[in-house]
Amino acid sequence: MGRISQHPILGVQNEEKKIVTFKYDGKDMQGYEGEPIAAALKANGVMVHRYTMKQHKPRGIFCAIGRCTDCVMVVDGEPNVRTCMTPLKEGMDVRTQYGVSDKPFDQQ
Amino acid sequence: MKIERFDLIIVGAGPSGLSAAIEAAKRGMKVVVFDENARPGGQLFKQIHKFFGSKEHKAKIRGFHIGEQLLQEARDAGVKVELNATVVGLYQDREVVVRMGEEVHHFKGDAVIIATGASENMVLFDGWNLPGVMGAGAAQTLMNLYGVKPGEKVLMLGSGNVGLVVSFQLLQAGCDVVALVDAAPKIGGYGVHAAKVARTGVPFYLSHTIKKVEGTDHVTGVTIAQVDNHFQFIEGTEKHFDVDTVCVAVGLSPMSQLLKMAGCEMEDNPKRGGQVPIIDDYGKTSVPGIFSAGDVSGIEEASSAMIEGRMAGVAAAEYLGFMTADEKKTELDKLSTSLESLRQGMFAPKNRGKNITETEEGIPISTNLLSKGFVADDEIERYPGVIHKAGIHPVIECTQNIPCNPCQDACNQGCISIGDNITALPISVKDSKCINCGMCVASCPGQAIFLVDEDTGDGKASITLPYEFLPLPEVGAKGKALSRKGEPVCDAEVVKVRSSKAFDNTSLLTISVPKEYAMKARFFKAE
Ligand SMILES: Cc1cc2nc3c(=O)[nH]c(=O)nc-3n(C[C@H](O)[C@H](O)[C@H](O)COP(=O)(O)OP(=O)(O)OC[C@H]3O[C@@H](n4cnc5c(N)ncnc54)[C@H](O)[C@@H]3O)c2cc1C
Ligand code: SF4
Ligand code: SF4
Ligand code: FES
């Protein structure tokens, strides 16, 4: 995956944005301040945002406009945050969501 | 509970909502526009291609630039846009319930315009909800708004304009599009959109659909198979592709729930994309004071959504007495003419579902274009844009009646003629002198115009083609010329590269090829 560094129509994207560091499942990751968390995760190659409650099926970005809730994660301790709509901030703690928890199912 | 009052409340700050707001604000109304997004503009800012239509519809301007112009116009008119504001309720008395963050607010509008647009349809196949399967709109959002590649290797399902346009945009973002697949036997979108994807080498699989998306935690591959007339899989026709992303573009549905909630009379109209309100020509619903405009009242395009928005704005202004009935009539007549000119041609809403086999001129439609995405060598000669003569001249491979005419406007030498009916096929005028300015090539939203010199001496021909990819080849670069199908046909050398502000990021590449390939070479791939 990754960023489009140079685009034939849009030129250099994200040029003036500030790079911030956030945590993804405890690991340091970087993205641009203010972009949706989901965009930063995608640029870092993260595909799975959550696992469904009953069948434990993986889910990732699907609509990218806040409609489907497939992209929800635990952000700063709060579950069910739509990462495609939530702007990234320095120091955010972003975790994979298992059902509605940030603990894998076998630890719930 | 305090309820704030407005003359007009508009739901949705897309092209239709903003246009409505501009018209109303210009007439002195107190207007507010609510949008659930963090940015205004709706779908427009994701559209990075040049638009069809004619000058009055802002043809040949890229969608996001039209969006910027519209926002400026809205600011100048003093329109107030509330972002991150989701409208969750609309009642018959025009009370509007809006969720902003954690809070819920109530507003009352003397008139309300619903311009909520549409949502993407989905189809169910094995693995449809695995991470890596996404709507084409999501892919567009990631790459065109946030500069992130949706994937490396992508399969596109859906050959309507959205599927075709997003496939091209994926290629522009540097992704590999492995196939464009559709269960229908014919490509649904504009032939020119299909042709610009096909010539880069993307294969089209019509009468095929996805059988299974593979992967445990995310997409690692996809299997498609052919379907029969009843959309049943044909055994033994499976094809596998290694991909990390599957994009789905199988149509849009009007987001008309608010209108239904308010008690507006609705109908199920397949020609308009599903559940839509019953409205008059200017967006008036069955509930007094409630209007609708844009995709929510019938899936069309941004160009038509903007005109519909203006109509609804004018209708609401007159309804509340901010303009006279005479003024309204003058305005609406003007707008209707402009809208009508867009609603013509093979792809007009009234022609949806019809089997059109001939152009308005009586020329058979290319069957290859409909099934493979490109016009075959033995079909191309029959169109009026394709001529042969000595010296450089435009070869216009635009073969369907679509509402579009920037090519005619671009040429001040009279080499290209469409006439007053903007859906007519462009004619390459034999008795004219092309000065090789390149404006037609760069202006054509369909990237369907090539400047051809069939004999430049020493057994070569030159072809100038539109190029919107990076890296831009340099003069002297050697490679292969690709056919309309996207297959290498001969050696080619870049002899000229032109970029200019007037071309608006479409570069013009001139390649030299052996003369017998003058009518075959249509794209360049560097070695
Ligand atoms: C890939 C693609 C290519 C396209 N190419 C072209 C083209 O070449 N030419 C062309 O003319 N058109 C094109 N279109 C179509 C065009 O983008 C749409 O027809 C147009 O945007 C419709 O405008 P609209 O204002 O009705 O809706 P939208 O642009 O969808 O805007 C609706 C707005 O309403 C908001 N909203 C919805 N519900 C609520 C709610 N409950 N509360 C608050 N806000 C809400 C949404 O957030 C959105 O901002 C293309 C579309 C796509 C997807
Ligand atoms: S290159 Fe210039 S002169 Fe020639 S056909 Fe195109 S617009 Fe006309
Ligand atoms: S050739 Fe002319 S009519 Fe056809 S797509 Fe291009 S600009 Fe439009
Ligand atoms: S991807 Fe659908 S809500 Fe975020």
Side-chain angles (χ1 to χ4, degrees), chain B residues 329-378:
Chain B
K329 189 171 177 315
T330 319
E331 286 294 319
L332 290 182
D333 285 351
K334 251 194 321 207
L335 291 166
S336 301
T337 313
S338 177
L339 185 58
E340 236 1 81
S341 72
L342 277 179
R343 287 184 174 159
Q344 302 300 324
M346 288 179 54
F347 296 87
K350 61 184 173 210
N351 285 329
R352 265 177 217 161
K354 272 196 204 150
N355 183 22
I356 293 175
T357 55
E358 271 188 1
T359 68
E360 288 163 13
E361 293 80 0
I363 306 169
I365 303 284
S366 157
T367 49
N368 214 67
L369 180 62
L370 296 176
S371 62
K372 301 264 172 49
F374 61 94
V375 182
D377 290 348
D378 61 355

Side-chain angles (χ1 to χ4, degrees), chain A residues 65 67 85, chain B residues 10-19 33-53 57 61 63 66 70 82-89 97-99 114-120 136-137 140 144 160-167 169 190 193 249 252 255 257-258 293-306 308-309 342 445:
Chain A
I65 48 167
R67 299 247 164 79
M85 300 292 280
Chain B
I10 298 176
V11 188
S16 61
L18 287 175
S19 304
V33 188
F34 295 113
D35 199 294
E36 62 185 351
N37 249 294
R39 345 179 158 197
Q43 300 290 327
L44 258 186
F45 281 91
K46 302 179 208 171
Q47 311 308 336
I48 59 169
H49 57 289
K50 296 176 178 175
F51 272 30
F52 294 88
H57 311 115
I61 303 179
I66 298 178
L70 200 59
E82 289 283 353
L83 299 169
N84 298 309
T86 308
V87 175
V88 293
V97 186
V98 189
R99 202 181 59 228
I114 300 300
T116 44
S119 61
E120 293 188 274
Q140 228 184 7
N144 297 345
N161 275 336
V162 174
L164 297 172
V165 167
V166 175
S167 293
Q169 292 175 356
Y190 288 0
H193 273 323
L252 302 169
M255 290 215 295
Q257 296 85 343
L258 288 171
D295 277 358
V296 68
S297 44
I299 304 297
E300 272 179 83
E301 309 219 290
S303 323
S304 41
M306 287 185 279
E308 285 175 31
L342 277 179

Side-chain angles (χ1 to χ4, degrees), chain B residues 440-503:
Chain B
C440 56
V441 179
S443 307
C444 171
Q447 302 196 2
I449 305 182
F450 304 87
L451 299 175
V452 177
D453 187 343
E454 294 181 28
D455 191 354
T456 54
D458 57 358
K460 301 275 190 190
S462 77
I463 294 141
T464 299
L465 49 92
Y467 199 84
E468 290 191 351
F469 298 99
L470 290 176
L472 186 61
E474 285 173 12
V475 172
K478 291 195 168 56
K480 292 281 179 215
L482 306 191
S483 64
R484 296 184 185 89
K485 187 183 180 183
E487 280 179 348
V489 284
C490 62
D491 289 331
E493 182 178 341
V494 176
V495 293
K496 195 169 177 183
V497 180
R498 285 181 270 179
S499 305
S500 99
K501 196 153 186 269
F503 296 165

Side-chain angles (χ1 to χ4, degrees), chain A residues 61-64 66-71 82 84:
Chain A
I61 299 173
F62 187 73
C63 73
R67 299 247 164 79
C68 71
T69 69
D70 273 4
C71 69
R82 288 176 303 175
C84 70

Side-chain angles (χ1 to χ4, degrees), chain A residues 62-63, chain B residues 119-125 127-130 132-140 154-160 162-164 166-167 170 181 209-210 213 245-252:
Chain A
F62 187 73
C63 73
Chain B
S119 61
E120 293 188 274
N121 297 341
M122 207 44 216
V123 277
L124 301 187
F125 43 78
W128 72 277
N129 46 19
L130 207 57
V133 178
M134 64 176 83
Q140 228 184 7
V154 188
L155 180 133
M156 176 67 69
L157 181 69
S159 70
V162 174
L164 297 172
V166 175
S167 293
L170 283 161
V181 177
T209 193
I210 294 177
V213 169
T245 304
V246 172
C247 274
V248 183
V250 293
L252 302 169

